[in-house]
Amino acid sequence: MATGHTDPERRDRIIDAVLDLIVDEGVAGVSHRKVAARAGVPLGSMTYHFSGMDELLHEAFTRFSGTIVAVFEERLGAATTPDEAREAVADLVHHLSGGNQRELILTHELYTLAARRPAYRELTRTWMGRSRRALEWHFDPATARQLDALIEGLSIHRALETEPHERALTVEAIARITAPRP
Amino acid sequence: MATGHTDPERRDRIIDAVLDLIVDEGVAGVSHRKVAARAGVPLGSMTYHFSGMDELLHEAFTRFSGTIVAVFEERLGAATTPDEAREAVADLVHHLSGGNQRELILTHELYTLAARRPAYRELTRTWMGRSRRALEWHFDPATARQLDALIEGLSIHRALETEPHERALTVEAIARITAPRP
DNA sequence: GAGCGGAGTGTACGGACGTACGCTTCGGGG
DNA sequence: CCCCGAAGCGTACGTCCGTACACTCCGCTC
């Protein structure tokens, strides 16, 4: 034991390759062979490092959701007033729905898995929970929940539209949902 | 020509089987063989009636999105005041995110395809366009757009939550996003 | 009543897949 | 210097897949 010639980066590179492959071809297009080729590792390495496809996917999406939520927390953490928080939220929406399709695709792929399989639903729940907690740094719990849903919907719709809506529309929606109650 | 012994229901039954199969196993789990078995038709019938997997899926999702949007239009069409429209929207959110996972799963599967493939994105655009037009029966265009996104986000989040949020929260969010501008 | 042509089907081929498993390689202990 | 066991790899097996295509069946025309 402890021979010391393991390659700890190997696992990480494989996960990277999985995420890239999902972006290009979808979860359905992921196979041990393709991942191995993309990561530059032999096929046998797959079964050695991972018990099977599922461990591969679960680990990939765990990493992905962690990354996304970290950005979310960072931006909201930097805000010091509700208005700055609103700006941060608008930035996040437009970042997520911007030219870069990578995060959008991965999110949908994860949601699709989550819709059917509890193990992945757990992942999305953790993600949503952390997002909401970050929003609660600036807004009350009920508002945070509504705002979180709004962010989701705005991002998805904006990304799918032919001509994405203007920032002003996002800003107005955020202002409305976070407006003080009468 | 015109031999008259074609089976026009055959195509429909195959599409039904495709949608059921997607719900059970996901788009990735759809194969000609499984569809044929479920629809009770011979394997050869698949290639006879459809040019390939893609025609199968595209037609299935066309039917699905048409069905969903029809419900949407019907409920909103029945409303005669903005307040009734708000109620209808709340109903729709809770219907979509309720116990029945079928529509949720199909929606995510479609979005996942749409995120990568233009042909499916076209489908979601038509869907979104019709939804928005229905909302515009009761609200101004900008509000309709925001509300449409909110519906999306609320439905998705509510369906993924461990304990789905109360109706009151949905109602409040809708009220806020549709509040008259100052 | 013969036979033609279109509707529908059974089957077989080539390829990609996940995974098991026996093999090689190599650092460290004796 | 030798050998042992862990780390890592190449390959082969069985399964399932999409699709092409030769075939059967049958209503219609003459």
Side-chain angles (χ1 to χ4, degrees), chain A residues 109 112 116 146 172 181, chain B residues 109 112 116 146 172 181:
Chain A
E109 295 279 356
T112 298
R116 214 180 341 262
Q146 295 167 29
E172 185 186 37
R181 293 182 186 76
Chain B
E109 295 279 356
T112 298
R116 214 181 341 263
Q146 296 167 29
E172 185 186 36
R181 293 183 184 75

Side-chain angles (χ1 to χ4, degrees), chain A residues 21-28 101 104-105 108-109 111-112 114-116 121 124-125 128 132 140-143 145-146 148-150 152-154 156-166 168-170 172-174 176-181, chain B residues 21-28 101 104-105 108-109 111-112 114-116 121 124-125 128 132 140-143 145-146 148-150 152-154 156-166 168-170 172-174 176-181:
Chain A
L21 197 55
I22 293 173
V23 170
D24 286 356
E25 308 193 26
V27 166
Q101 297 275 84
L104 178 81
I105 290 178
H108 282 304
E109 295 279 356
Y111 283 177
T112 298
R116 214 180 341 262
R121 188 171 305 205
T124 61
R125 275 208 276 263
M128 278 170 48
R132 278 216 296 265
D140 70 85
T143 300
R145 224 160 154 130
Q146 295 167 29
D148 197 30
L150 179 69
E152 185 80 58
L154 285 174
I156 291 175
H157 279 214
R158 187 162 187 280
L160 290 177
E161 277 163 0
T162 318
E163 34 190 275
H165 64 252
E166 303 287 333
L169 191 118
T170 304
E172 185 186 37
I174 294 167
R176 283 171 144 178
I177 215 83
T178 61
R181 293 182 186 76
Chain B
L21 198 55
I22 293 173
V23 171
D24 286 357
E25 309 193 25
V27 166
Q101 296 275 84
L104 179 81
I105 291 178
H108 282 305
E109 295 279 356
Y111 283 178
T112 298
R116 214 181 341 263
R121 187 170 308 202
T124 62
R125 274 207 276 262
M128 279 169 49
R132 278 217 295 264
D140 69 86
T143 301
R145 221 159 157 133
Q146 296 167 29
D148 197 31
L150 179 69
E152 185 80 60
L154 285 173
I156 292 175
H157 279 212
R158 186 162 187 278
L160 290 176
E161 276 164 0
T162 318
E163 35 189 274
H165 64 254
E166 304 286 334
L169 190 117
T170 304
E172 185 186 36
I174 294 167
R176 282 172 145 177
I177 215 83
T178 60
R181 293 183 184 75

Side-chain angles (χ1 to χ4, degrees), chain A residues 12 19 45 47-48 59 64 72 75 104 109 134 139 146 153 179:
Chain A
D12 283 349
L19 287 171
S45 223
T47 44
Y48 181 76
E59 204 141 326
F64 167 69
F72 203 90
R75 300 252 194 148
L104 178 81
E109 295 279 356
F139 306 101
Q146 295 167 29

Side-chain angles (χ1 to χ4, degrees), chain B residues 65-77 92 95 103:
Chain B
S65 62
T67 306
I68 294 283
V69 88
V71 173
F72 203 90
E73 286 171 345
E74 189 202 318
R75 301 254 193 147
L76 281 172
L92 285 164
H95 167 74
E103 278 135 13

